[in-house]
Amino acid sequence: MGSSELTERVALVTGATSGIGAATAALLAARGALVLVAGRDRARGESVVAAIGDRGGRADFVAADLREAESVRRLAREAATLGGGRVDILVNNAGSYPFGPTEQTQDRDTDAVYALAAHAPAGRPGTPQEIAEAIAYLAGDAASFVHGAVLSVDGGRTAV
């Protein structure tokens, strides 16, 4: 697979059935973690798990709809069981913009999220792999002394 930097660690990645979540799950697995792929779509989740397995990684799918409290509790229980009683790395990737109920999101908020990438100094949106690399760094031993820091992975947007 890849390195063994995260061997013996259990990672729970929400929103892992596509995009940044799927890329993060794949990268953490490549670095040795057992990855719990959480999401609403079982077919997409099983596809992510299969792709990780095809590359020699370890992963399980856990169905969860984080909009429902009981589903969140079930996810926590299943993750603890699959992880041998623990989760070492938690990547809260599900959802991507303004805080609050989705049904209350204003059109201007949605437009602002999509416009953000167009105005980043990098001149392009980031790729899921680029975001996953930053997450894997923070989850690994190289960042063992990084606490309470904000790592902006935004193509330089916050630097403007």
Side-chain angles (χ1 to χ4, degrees):
M1 176 103 219
S3 75
S4 60
E5 177 183 358
L6 299 177
T7 300
E8 304 301 321
R9 301 221 187 134
V10 178
L12 171 59
V13 182
T14 66
T17 60
S18 65
I20 292 168
T24 299
L27 186 58
L28 294 176
R31 296 200 178 165
L34 164 62
V35 178
L36 306 176
V37 172
R40 293 179 298 191
D41 188 307
R42 180 169 297 281
R44 289 190 326 186
E46 294 293 350
S47 177
V48 171
V49 167
I52 288 171
D54 289 347
R55 289 189 298 277
R58 301 174 301 138
D60 288 302
F61 175 70
V62 183
D65 184 342
L66 302 184
R67 298 171 298 183
E68 301 171 7
E70 181 50 39
S71 183
V72 172
R73 287 189 285 272
R74 186 175 55 254
L75 171 61
R77 287 190 303 269
E78 290 183 33
T81 299
L82 291 168
R86 68 183 210 281
V87 171
D88 305 301
I89 301 163
L90 175 60
V91 180
N92 287 314
N93 175 69
S96 62
Y97 62 93
F99 297 104
T102 301
E103 67 271 8
Q104 294 177 12
T105 301
Q106 302 294 311
D107 288 343
R108 62 182 155 70
D109 293 331
T110 303
D111 293 342
V113 168
Y114 289 106
L116 178 65
H119 298 297
R124 62 176 177 79
T127 67
Q129 186 64 31
E130 289 170 319
I131 306 302
E133 287 287 348
I135 292 168
Y137 161 71
L138 290 171
D141 292 338
S144 64
F145 201 66
V146 177
H147 295 270
V150 174
L151 178 62
S152 297
V153 185
D154 62 2
R157 174 76 171 122
T158 55
V160 177

